[in-house]
Amino acid sequence: MTENAQQQPPAPDSELPTQYAPAEVEGPLYERWVERGYFEADAKSEKPPYTIVIPPPNVTGSLHLGHAFQHTLMDALTRRKRMQGFESLWLPGMDHAGIATQNVVERELGKEGKSRHDLGREAFVERVWQWKDEYGGKILGQMRRLGDGVDWSRERFTMDEGLSQAVQTIFKRLYDDELIYRAERIINWCPRCLTAISDIEVEYQDDDGELVSMKYGEGDDTIVVATTRAETMLGDTAVAVHPDDERYKHLVGRRIKLPLTDRTIPVVADTHVDPEFGTGAVKVTPAHDPNDFAIGQRHDLESLTVMDERGVITVHGPFEGLDRFEARSAIVAALRADGRIVAEKRPYVHSVGHCSRCKTTVEPRLSMQWWVKVAPLAKAAGDAVRDGRVKIHPQEMEKRYFDWVDNLHDWCISRQLWWGHRIPVWYGPDGEVVCVGPDDEPPTGEGWTQDSDVLDTWFSSGLWPFSTLGWPEQTPDLKKFYTTDVLLTGHDIIFFWVARMMMFGLYAMDGEVPFKTIALTGLVRDQFGKKMSKSSGTAVDPLDWMNAYGSDAVRFTLAKGANPGTDVPIGEDWVQASRNFANKLWNATRFALMNGATIEGDLPPAEQLSATDRWILSRLNETVAEVDALYDDFQFAKLSDALYHFAWDEVFDWYVELSKTTFIAGGEPAEVSKRVLGEVLDVTLKLLHPIVPFVTETLWTTLTGGESVVIADWPKDSGFRDPAAEREIETLQQVITEVRRFRADQGLQPGQRVPARLTLDGTALAPHEAAIRQLLRLQPEGDTFAATATLPVGGATVALDLSGTIDIAAERKRLAKDLAAAEKEKAQATAKLGNEAFLAKAPDNVVDKIRGRLSKADEDIARIKNQLDGLPQA
């Protein structure tokens, strides 16, 4: 083949621009999808349903990387199922986010010098609705930017009319079934938000505090207790010791003086006390500690509340009116002056609860609240996973789920807020209590008032899988799309949300589970695996990356990190690499179009295909099967990696390059390869579409002329396999790779042409000589050819004439030096691995590292000897 024959033939103009510009493509493309109704699901369809309800983001929220991550995976699942012929529903919506939203609006009022009390309840709630209509739901627009294929016609809000009816209905049913009750208990109270919060809304962190040991009683009645919350001693109503503690048996049943007060309190014996911890005696403050409350119940102790809702002391003259933390210091000082302090330890690092929303230190507080009796509901939620009706993926997360649902305490559902679902209970003038359902008329008349509290946000979002489909009405949507198929969410809200939906779904839907699979993801971290935060400067706005690199690049990066249940590291460099992948897709498809790739007509039969064509079709079908299996196992990282390497390594780097020779030669083989290349790109773009929807839509519609890849058929494994062709092309790849490495080792430039003699007769490589020469830049040998380097590889021999291109003597000297270094490395590693004393003491990871060094040294020695054998004698 002559030099001129290897030049590319003139190509027709591609229908694609020379460069991919995501910013120009993504927005209009998404709106076209929505306008054409591709994401709308039809309850009347005879197609099998596939349903995912979106974890509703807060109405106050904006898109963060965690949202982008989970939305990418949910979008991929629903897009694939739609292509597979399912009536695919991904239902969007938002949560009213009681505390968070009320806080936002109260801050806005504060700028006007007003509080919610200045407006009154009705006007304040109206103000929140105005804020929601004007500013809420910012995240919904951002979801469009990401490419979320949700059914916007079914968008829901946890306080819309239908969901409000669902909340009132289930409250009434639970109340009538005596699963909702009102009682005075210790709750977590936020003095900033002025409301009760649930256990799972408390974030614990290690704070610097103080541990103070102080004497109660006088003379022989003295007993020492220790506390980190000295201010609560004003509400102590007992000291507790263990019944078997000999040190205090003489005090049990006696009353001792409580310092700084004029009260005496009893010493009680309770098995809750650990005699080995501290002094073995604990102060008991039933109104301000959950454990103390339980002790108080057992011993019929009085509960004295000594703080108001803002954490201000309300008793005992000198301390009354002080903030709880001011009172702590003042009380310790007074005890010290009274000679009551035995020991003080500061700083004393201990775990302290904080409000997850405003970060204020939580105060345990005795309060009258509404509760859900969770025992029967939680048992049903546990049984549904144990008997296999609901699968948790990955399975090892089941333990966390069971640890939670098997040990649930009754759930405090009332919140002292104005924004939210108001508790549907009315109180009468003579102590009447009436729970009102959605079809009931509330009682009227003088003295009747509605409970002022609202329900915990998680109460309404716990109904999400069925309330969004029309429950309590038996709607066509509910009949078609419930039970939902997958709940995909972070493992961090198993307790907040997953367990709530399981309990309510099973209860409301007569034992039908709310979802068949719970697919738990990890959390997004920075590239070093650390938590992203604004304070450390590591928080990332995904919109910034989407604007810079395109939404597909962000989505692909997130999917590539999505191993089930494990955290996802992400860095900007990785997003850039994904952008490069999108560009590679673009350029390769553009090349294919310019060279006549087509999907018209059937694929030719196998006997008309070259080995290269059979190889890529065999690998294509293996990839389809692999991707399907990984999707069904929620292995997004592995399937993304498989698609990346198939597309980049096998299609673009090998098949496209090998096909160039065929296209240049022309004729029937070229026409066959054009059809094969079209088939490969058609299937590859479909496989990639659920994760990178925008670039694949643009490329696929240009390649095929089809309406949209969104509604195209998902590829199926045809069953075609050709192991012989795969072995043949693997050998070809080995030859090209080894010779390229040899060239690089000799310092040859990639484009530098070298005369070569190829001995391919009797091997499967004979038909590939033109491709080998083109890819390796090998010229015909010519009349003056002198083989200065001979490489036996893959059963063939490649002889190169390097005269005039390298200094043979210098190259031998360099390689000899490298060989000596590799042999020295091997000797050192071998000696260590042969030392029994070393192996007995060294950690496994150290031994593994040395084994790796030995293996690498062996590889280097073989490679260098091969290079030396290929060089002529100097």
Side-chain angles (χ1 to χ4, degrees):
M1 186 177 293
T2 65
E3 195 68 13
N4 290 335
Q6 295 188 35
Q7 298 299 317
Q8 291 287 348
D13 289 339
S14 167
E15 295 181 47
L16 293 171
T18 55
Q19 290 184 326
Y20 177 47
E24 298 174 12
V25 170
E26 293 177 348
L29 199 53
Y30 185 84
E31 294 308 317
R32 191 181 316 145
W33 290 334
V34 173
E35 288 167 8
R36 292 179 177 178
Y38 292 154
F39 305 139
E40 293 181 11
D42 183 1
K44 297 178 182 178
S45 168
E46 294 184 0
K47 296 178 182 178
Y50 183 83
T51 315
I52 294 180
V53 291
I54 204 165
N58 286 355
V59 68
T60 59
S62 60
L63 189 74
H64 56 65
L65 275 172
H67 290 127
F69 170 53
Q70 292 177 359
H71 288 207
T72 293
L73 305 187
M74 285 183 278
D75 196 26
L77 290 172
T78 49
R79 283 178 183 268
R80 171 177 174 255
K81 285 295 182 180
R82 187 178 294 114
M83 295 172 74
Q84 287 183 315
F86 287 77
E87 197 61 35
S88 189
L89 170 61
W90 185 20
L91 192 148
M94 292 183 299
D95 191 285
H96 66 278
I99 296 177
T101 307
Q102 179 158 320
N103 283 347
V104 168
V105 178
E106 286 197 80
R107 281 198 297 270
E108 293 298 311
L109 282 175
K111 295 175 184 177
E112 303 170 15
K114 297 179 181 178
S115 74
R116 60 177 163 131
H117 300 285
D118 294 324
L119 270 67
R121 182 169 193 143
E122 186 174 336
F124 176 77
V125 171
E126 178 60 31
R127 180 72 174 260
V128 180
W129 277 109
Q130 291 173 5
W131 179 90
K132 184 260 180 186
D133 292 340
E134 186 171 356
Y135 300 108
K138 175 182 178 183
I139 192 172
L140 298 179
Q142 296 169 336
M143 286 163 54
R144 302 170 90 94
R145 180 76 177 81
L146 184 66
D148 284 7
V150 297
D151 185 347
W152 292 110
S153 71
R154 285 178 165 82
E155 180 190 335
R156 302 305 301 267
F157 178 55
T158 50
M159 283 185 62
D160 67 28
E161 185 177 350
L163 269 65
S164 294
Q165 181 185 13
V167 168
Q168 199 171 351
T169 298
I170 201 163
F171 187 99
K172 172 70 170 170
R173 290 189 186 179
L174 289 164
Y175 181 87
D176 289 346
D177 287 344
E178 299 184 347
L179 293 174
I180 282 183
Y181 63 95
R182 193 169 185 241
E184 191 174 45
R185 300 272 184 84
I186 290 285
I187 47 89
N188 303 297
W189 181 266
C190 176
R192 159 63 185 79
C193 298
L194 299 179
T195 183
I197 59 177
S198 64
D199 291 345
I200 52 179
E201 293 169 302
V202 178
E203 293 179 348
Y204 288 90
Q205 66 184 45
D206 287 342
D207 286 358
D208 285 346
E210 60 181 346
L211 181 66
V212 179
S213 299
M214 49 197 180
K215 291 188 295 184
Y216 284 16
E218 304 286 354
D220 292 339
D221 291 348
T222 297
I223 193 167
V224 176
V225 297
T227 183
T228 58
R229 301 168 65 220
E231 68 279 8
T232 64
M233 60 86 59
L234 299 174
D236 286 357
T237 55
V239 170
V241 297
H242 193 277
D244 298 331
D245 195 329
E246 294 293 336
R247 294 171 295 176
Y248 304 118
K249 280 199 171 181
H250 68 289
L251 289 175
V252 173
R254 299 180 64 175
R255 301 184 70 86
I256 61 174
K257 180 172 174 22
L258 179 66
L260 306 183
T261 73
D262 57 2
R263 293 192 291 120
T264 60
I265 57 177
V267 178
V268 299
D270 196 282
T271 55
H272 170 75
V273 180
D274 180 1
E276 302 299 322
F277 183 77
T279 64
V282 297
K283 59 191 286 299
V284 181
T285 322
H288 292 278
D289 183 274
N291 294 321
D292 292 4
F293 178 78
I295 293 174
Q297 293 285 95
R298 288 193 289 272
H299 297 277
D300 196 25
L301 300 176
E302 185 181 5
S303 294
L304 297 179
T305 299
V306 298
M307 282 180 234
D308 68 11
E309 60 184 9
R310 298 183 184 275
V312 174
I313 302 298
T314 58
V315 298
H316 201 67
F319 309 111
E320 189 173 355
L322 293 180
D323 171 81
R324 54 186 168 156
F325 300 119
E326 295 173 334
R328 181 177 299 174
S329 299
I331 287 171
V332 170
L335 289 167
R336 191 184 301 114
D338 200 26
R340 293 281 178 176
I341 298 296
V342 175
E344 297 178 70
K345 183 177 181 181
R346 63 171 65 88
Y348 178 73
V349 179
H350 61 130
S351 182
V352 177
H354 295 261
C355 174
S356 62
R357 290 176 178 83
C358 70
K359 311 309 176 188
T360 301
T361 300
V362 167
E363 191 65 42
R365 175 181 170 85
L366 185 63
S367 179
M368 182 68 76
Q369 301 286 345
W370 285 94
W371 304 80
V372 171
K373 187 183 296 182
V374 300
L377 303 175
K379 181 181 184 304
D383 290 345
V385 174
R386 287 188 170 94
D387 64 25
R389 283 176 290 154
V390 178
K391 305 288 186 185
I392 293 182
H393 189 87
Q395 190 174 2
E396 54 266 27
M397 286 287 180
E398 283 186 1
K399 183 179 184 302
R400 291 185 64 183
Y401 176 80
F402 291 134
D403 285 347
W404 180 253
V405 298
D406 292 347
N407 297 285
L408 271 179
H409 301 295
D410 284 0
W411 171 21
C412 176
I413 56 171
S414 45
R415 298 291 180 268
Q416 289 64 56
L417 305 171
W418 288 355
W419 172 246
H421 295 281
R422 194 164 175 181
I423 288 176
V425 171
W426 270 255
Y427 305 107
D430 297 319
E432 302 96 331
V433 178
V434 176
C435 181
V436 175
D439 299 323
D440 302 330
E441 288 294 328
T444 58
E446 186 176 349
W448 282 94
T449 58
Q450 185 178 358
D451 195 298
S452 60
D453 287 352
V454 301
L455 289 163
D456 178 9
T457 296
W458 297 103
F459 189 95
S460 51
S461 60
L463 315 182
W464 191 250
F466 52 94
S467 64
T468 52
L469 296 172
W471 187 91
E473 302 300 324
Q474 294 304 306
T475 64
D477 276 1
L478 191 65
K479 182 178 179 181
K480 176 75 174 180
F481 297 111
Y482 192 90
T483 294
T484 70
D485 286 85
V486 177
L487 171 70
L488 189 145
T489 191
H491 61 65
D492 57 323
I493 61 171
I494 292 178
F495 322 123
F496 286 90
W497 192 44
V498 178
R500 312 293 195 214
M501 288 188 289
M502 286 286 283
M503 291 191 297
F504 281 166
L506 289 160
Y507 173 80
M509 297 300 293
D510 299 322
E512 285 188 67
V513 296
F515 21 74
K516 299 168 188 172
T517 301
I518 302 169
L520 297 171
T521 70
L523 309 179
V524 179
R525 305 288 189 183
D526 69 16
Q527 59 188 321
F528 305 108
K530 296 181 179 178
K531 183 178 180 179
M532 290 185 172
S533 69
K534 292 181 181 178
S535 60
S536 63
T538 56
V540 174
D541 184 343
L543 292 171
D544 291 341
W545 282 352
M546 287 154 63
N547 291 333
Y549 308 112
S551 298
D552 284 332
V554 174
R555 290 170 61 116
F556 196 62
T557 305
L558 290 166
K560 282 193 76 175
N563 289 300
T566 60
D567 289 346
V568 183
I570 186 172
E572 188 167 4
D573 289 350
W574 305 345
V575 183
Q576 291 175 357
S578 295
R579 184 270 317 271
N580 294 343
F581 178 60
N583 289 341
K584 187 78 170 178
L585 275 175
W586 185 272
N587 293 334
T589 306
R590 188 168 180 273
F591 165 84
L593 290 167
M594 293 173 67
N595 284 277
T598 180
I599 64 161
E600 293 182 7
D602 295 334
L603 277 172
E607 57 269 19
Q608 293 181 20
L609 303 176
S610 68
T612 307
D613 292 333
R614 297 195 307 276
W615 161 73
I616 197 62
L617 290 174
S618 182
R619 288 292 306 122
L620 179 69
N621 280 287
E622 288 177 10
T623 301
V624 170
E626 181 182 10
V627 167
D628 274 335
L630 292 171
Y631 258 118
D632 292 341
D633 198 34
F634 303 99
Q635 297 282 354
F636 295 98
K638 290 182 179 179
L639 73 89
S640 299
D641 197 56
L643 285 169
Y644 175 89
H645 287 293
F646 174 72
W648 193 305
D649 298 347
E650 299 187 87
V651 179
F652 306 150
D653 280 358
W654 285 108
Y655 184 70
V656 167
E657 292 300 314
L658 291 169
S659 296
K660 288 179 180 178
T661 308
T662 308
F663 294 155
I664 291 167
E668 184 61 26
E671 296 306 310
V672 170
S673 289
K674 290 175 185 177
R675 178 65 186 88
V676 171
L677 180 54
E679 181 76 12
V680 171
L681 287 174
D682 173 31
V683 173
T684 302
L685 292 171
K686 287 177 179 176
L687 292 174
L688 282 164
H689 171 73
I691 297 174
V692 285
F694 294 108
V695 68
T696 52
E697 171 80 342
T698 306
L699 296 176
W700 186 85
T701 52
T702 304
L703 172 71
T704 68
E707 180 184 341
S708 173
V709 71
V710 176
I711 54 173
D713 290 338
W714 182 254
K716 293 181 180 178
D717 175 10
S718 71
F720 177 79
R721 301 289 191 278
D722 194 327
E726 291 196 36
R727 289 193 297 270
E728 182 175 328
I729 301 305
E730 285 171 7
T731 303
L732 174 62
Q733 291 171 332
Q734 181 186 1
V735 170
I736 292 171
T737 301
E738 288 299 317
V739 176
R740 278 177 173 167
R741 183 182 292 125
F742 180 80
R743 284 176 56 110
D745 288 341
Q746 310 312 314
L748 298 177
Q749 295 300 314
Q752 186 174 351
R753 297 194 174 276
V754 177
R757 176 185 299 147
L758 304 184
T759 305
L760 306 175
D761 293 343
T763 74
L765 300 177
H768 302 288
E769 178 170 354
I772 293 172
R773 286 189 177 277
Q774 179 174 321
L775 294 177
L776 291 174
R777 303 295 189 268
L778 302 179
Q779 296 177 187
E781 53 193 271
D783 297 334
T784 60
F785 179 81
T788 59
T790 303
L791 301 175
V793 58
T797 302
V798 180
L800 305 175
D801 183 354
L802 302 178
S803 57
T805 61
I806 62 172
D807 182 333
I808 302 296
E811 187 60 22
R812 277 193 164 276
K813 185 176 180 180
R814 183 185 71 80
L815 289 172
K817 183 178 178 182
D818 290 348
L819 180 61
E823 288 175 336
K824 181 179 179 181
E825 174 73 1
K826 177 179 180 178
Q828 290 175 341
T830 301
K832 282 192 174 182
L833 293 173
N835 185 334
E836 294 297 333
F838 169 78
L839 293 176
K841 295 180 181 178
D844 290 345
N845 64 318
V846 173
V847 175
D848 289 343
K849 187 175 181 180
I850 293 171
R851 288 187 179 126
R853 284 169 50 190
L854 178 60
S855 177
K856 175 69 164 52
D858 284 332
E859 291 175 5
D860 289 344
I861 289 168
R863 176 177 56 81
I864 296 167
K865 284 183 175 179
N866 191 46
Q867 293 173 26
L868 283 168
D869 291 342
L871 290 173
Q873 296 298 319

